[in-house]
Amino acid sequence: MFGMLAIAAFGVVQGPAAMDFSQPPQLRNPQALITYEDYPTESLRRNEYGIVSIMITVSTDGKVSTCQVTESSGFATLDLATCSLFNKRAKFEPAKDAAGLPIEGKYRLSNSWGLEEHQPRTTIDVPLQVSSVPSDYRSPVKARLVFDATGHVTACEVTTTSGSVVADRAACAYIKQQLAIAAPKSASMDIPPVAVRYLIASLSKREADPSPKQ
């Protein structure tokens, strides 16, 4: 499914990106917000596992004001535990408007509950072979992906640049065209289903086809 990407096809993005003066909320403590010790006892006993995607509303002082489950694991205990733990532990830099003043903002993320062979992956590793690797490419592109109710990508937000604007945008454009997941289901009929995954896309030069034998 993955593999071929023509960087040249995205040459129009080589110029500077349009300036966006607003800033979304930034999670200040992304590491180890949820650990094995947080696994609900009843969920372990019942062998419950799955991915929970949530949407957090971040107040102007960087605190979580609301948390909605937009992709259910299929188990209410895991869904509720995810929001409860982020409500208690997540710390944010609030969103900012064009004047640099703090405003309310939304932040999406996902958490995987599971053990060993029942540990769902929220990270998608994609090796991409390209006709030409940009000279300023340094490392794999990392991005947060948002999927709609049909399981198709609606947003690709680069969280760690490869060093190349061309490579970053080309990888996102390719993923939007080629990647789909199982349709997510939210925990409530009133909340539109939205899933979050994390992309790591590495670029390498495609080897030339061998010359045909005479």
Side-chain angles (χ1 to χ4, degrees):
M1 176 178 177
F2 300 110
M4 300 301 180
L5 174 64
I7 287 289
F10 299 94
V12 295
V13 304
Q14 293 186 27
M19 297 186 70
D20 182 4
F21 291 98
S22 62
Q23 175 183 303
Q26 303 294 317
L27 184 60
R28 292 169 51 196
N29 59 334
Q31 302 300 324
L33 274 172
I34 297 179
T35 70
Y36 170 76
E37 300 299 326
D38 299 310
Y39 217 122
T41 303
E42 59 267 39
S43 294
L44 281 172
R45 186 173 61 251
R46 296 169 184 165
N47 197 30
E48 296 176 351
Y49 59 91
I51 296 174
V52 182
S53 293
I54 59 178
M55 183 175 70
I56 290 172
T57 301
V58 181
S59 66
T60 57
D61 58 0
K63 295 181 180 179
V64 177
S65 58
T66 65
C67 177
Q68 295 180 325
V69 175
T70 62
E71 178 189 19
S72 174
S73 63
F75 303 101
T77 301
L78 296 179
D79 295 348
L80 292 171
T82 304
C83 268
S84 176
L85 290 164
F86 273 92
N87 280 335
K88 294 177 181 177
R89 299 174 182 173
K91 298 179 181 178
F92 289 90
E93 291 291 339
K96 295 180 180 179
D97 63 13
L101 299 175
I103 57 174
E104 184 178 88
K106 306 292 186 182
Y107 191 91
R108 294 186 182 275
L109 54 89
S110 63
N111 182 72
S112 174
W113 294 96
L115 296 172
E116 298 177 350
E117 72 271 17
H118 297 311
Q119 178 73 62
R121 285 181 56 83
T122 57
T123 300
I124 302 171
D125 294 295
V126 180
L128 297 173
Q129 292 185 332
V130 300
S131 56
S132 176
V133 177
S135 60
D136 52 355
Y137 174 83
R138 296 291 178 268
S139 59
V141 182
K142 295 183 180 180
R144 178 167 45 234
L145 304 176
V146 177
F147 296 81
D148 63 16
T150 67
H152 292 88
V153 180
T154 59
C156 176
E157 175 194 351
V158 174
T159 56
T160 302
T161 179
S162 66
S164 168
V165 173
V166 172
D168 293 351
R169 294 193 177 183
C172 274
Y174 180 84
I175 290 301
K176 286 181 178 180
Q177 295 174 0
Q178 300 294 328
L179 181 63
I181 63 172
K185 296 181 179 179
S186 71
S188 170
M189 294 293 291
D190 299 326
I191 301 174
V194 176
V196 176
R197 298 293 185 270
Y198 303 96
L199 171 72
I200 300 177
S202 55
L203 275 63
S204 62
K205 183 177 175 57
R206 182 172 66 247
E207 294 183 5
D209 295 332
S211 300
K213 294 182 180 180
Q214 300 295 328

